[in-house]
Amino acid sequence: MEETVRYTYRLRPGAQAVRALESEWHRCRFLWNEAVHQQRGEEKPTFARLSKMLTEARARTAWLRAGSQVAQQQMLRTYSRALDHSFTVKGRGRPTVKRRRTSLPSLEYTTRGFGIAHRMLALPKGVTIPVVWSRELPSEPSSVRVYQDSLGHWYAAFVVRREVEPAPAATGSIGIDWGVSTTATATSPAHDLPYAGHRRRCAAELARAQRKMARRRRPKGQTPSNGYQQARREAARLHKKAARQNTHAARVWARRVVADHHLIAVEDFKPKFLTRSTMARKAADAAIGAAKRELIECATRAGRKVVLVPPAYTTMTCASCGARAKQRLALQVRIFSCDTCGHTADRDRNAATVILAAAVELDRASAEDIRHCGPPSGAVNGAVRVGNPPASAVGKG
């Protein structure tokens, strides 16, 4: 079986290559912003119309002709895809203007616009960039994305196809409840993801770098000083370090969970509302969204059954008898106690068991699909819904 993935490598561009990449980015950013303005007007051109307008603009403007037509066409294609997603994907907004100071360079090239010569990345207009080949490409790349991160480092992400070995068979099932003190609480204590506190450990260094930025910030409209840029890079380095540590820990944990279980019930928790609470900083440090994304991606790739269970009432429901508490549990109450049957358990462990009980009913789910289940029984709009038996009244209080 084959799959399409991205292989990312670090680039070591020289000063001339950096100037060429930045110039190309400014042209592509101009086209993106122009497409946004056209969409806000009365014409609202399609991708075909935007491509025709680009051809006419390149014929008139030498500045656009100095850049790569492939990268410029891909930028319009990316804009068109983002515009389509704003209509079809829930929560996606309309594409907005890319500002010079806040947007990071990102360029797309298809096979007509790049090549690999002498183990170097060759781009249009004679730009060649050394690549740090940390591993060999499994196949010929079909496209590449050249981008810059917040630290100023350049990377190349090649789209390739590779062979995938089938994952070993697994028979277990597990339920996962998200939290802050413990990032992921599973029905099995051996598969918990503890809160690591990577950002908390570097909080003092980060605060020092941010104070330097505040002291060295110049008035609006003036060019930032070298000292300000240095402090900004230091703050970005600390943010990046913590994010990479969280991603690595979540990836290792996800592989361990996927290797031992065939059915994985995941609380469909949206941590966005925590940003307006007193737990915002700790919730960001826990990186619940990153851990959830890594788990779903790893499980889907391995062919496991993944069920996303809505969090409504899962904390208020007893995992033993299915009775629901009349009042919501306060956050400081960490032990769940059922007034009906006397069952007591850890608050998050009880919720994980309830989540698993709800997902067990979804035995008809395909091994390649991620299905959402909810309290009502039956099928709604093609999505399988779980019923409401006593032991599996799902949700979070």
Side-chain angles (χ1 to χ4, degrees), residues 224-246:
S225 64
N226 292 335
Y228 174 83
Q229 296 287 7
Q230 181 181 0
R232 185 188 61 81
R233 284 192 296 269
E234 180 63 19
R237 184 188 67 81
L238 294 171
H239 280 297
K240 195 82 169 181
K241 178 181 178 181
R244 286 171 174 169
Q245 288 174 329
N246 280 326

Side-chain angles (χ1 to χ4, degrees), residues 37 47 63 66 86 154 219 250 318 336 338 344 373:
H37 292 310
F47 170 71
W63 177 65
S86 68
W154 289 89
C318 177
F336 176 86
C338 180
T344 59
C373 63

Side-chain angles (χ1 to χ4, degrees), residues 9-278:
Y9 302 87
R10 177 77 179 272
L11 298 179
R12 303 287 187 183
Q16 185 176 357
V18 169
R19 286 194 295 268
L21 291 173
E22 290 177 348
S23 299
E24 190 67 70
W25 165 244
H26 291 319
R27 297 185 186 94
C28 293
R29 188 177 61 85
F30 165 79
L31 293 174
W32 176 284
N33 294 342
E34 185 63 27
V36 171
H37 292 310
Q38 291 287 340
Q39 182 66 28
R40 291 175 179 175
E42 298 181 357
E43 294 187 3
K44 303 186 186 308
T46 61
F47 170 71
R49 176 57 183 160
L50 289 174
S51 298
K52 185 175 181 181
M53 294 171 63
L54 173 60
T55 303
E56 297 172 354
R58 284 177 62 88
R60 296 193 309 266
T61 311
W63 177 65
L64 285 177
R65 286 198 305 271
S68 169
Q69 186 175 7
V70 174
Q72 295 170 12
Q73 286 283 358
Q74 287 300 115
M75 178 58 70
L76 294 181
R77 191 176 299 275
T78 303
Y79 167 81
S80 179
R81 190 182 306 117
L83 184 62
D84 291 341
H85 287 172
S86 68
F87 294 102
T88 58
V89 180
K90 183 179 180 180
R92 294 284 183 89
R94 298 288 191 274
T96 58
V97 171
K98 293 183 180 291
R99 303 190 181 280
R100 183 186 184 98
R101 290 189 175 182
T102 57
S103 58
L104 294 173
S106 179
L107 304 169
E108 292 271 358
Y109 296 92
T110 58
T111 51
R112 295 190 304 113
F114 80 98
I116 300 176
H118 306 292
R119 300 186 64 81
M120 298 179 68
L121 178 62
L123 298 178
K125 309 300 179 180
V127 179
T128 57
I129 306 174
V131 183
V132 181
W133 297 103
S134 55
R135 53 180 174 172
E136 296 297 328
L137 289 171
S139 64
E140 288 294 325
S142 58
S143 65
V144 64
R145 176 186 298 165
V146 179
Y147 65 94
Q148 186 184 34
D149 66 357
S150 57
L151 300 180
H153 300 160
W154 289 89
Y155 295 88
F158 297 93
V159 177
V160 295
R161 294 191 63 82
R162 68 177 181 184
E163 293 290 337
V164 180
E165 297 182 0
T171 57
S173 57
I174 190 173
I176 295 173
D177 178 77
W178 304 108
V180 176
S181 58
T182 301
T183 304
T185 302
T187 51
S188 169
H191 293 87
D192 287 352
L193 177 61
Y195 168 69
H198 296 301
R199 286 187 174 90
R200 183 180 58 185
R201 285 198 295 272
C202 62
E205 299 178 65
L206 181 60
R208 192 179 304 115
Q210 291 174 340
R211 285 196 298 268
K212 285 184 181 179
M213 290 175 58
R215 289 196 304 267
R216 298 172 180 179
R217 187 188 301 274
R218 290 181 175 176
K220 186 176 180 179
Q222 295 186 14
T223 304
S225 64
N226 292 335
Y228 174 83
Q229 296 287 7
Q230 181 181 0
R232 185 188 61 81
R233 284 192 296 269
E234 180 63 19
R237 184 188 67 81
L238 294 171
H239 280 297
K240 195 82 169 181
K241 178 181 178 181
R244 286 171 174 169
Q245 288 174 329
N246 280 326
T247 302
H248 174 73
R251 193 167 294 168
V252 172
W253 168 76
R255 289 174 180 174
R256 184 158 51 88
V257 171
V258 169
D260 298 339
H261 304 91
H262 176 67
L263 175 63
I264 303 174
V266 183
E267 179 191 12
D268 195 13
F269 179 66
K270 303 294 192 300
K272 184 177 180 180
F273 78 95
L274 291 176
T275 59
R276 294 186 291 272
S277 70
T278 57

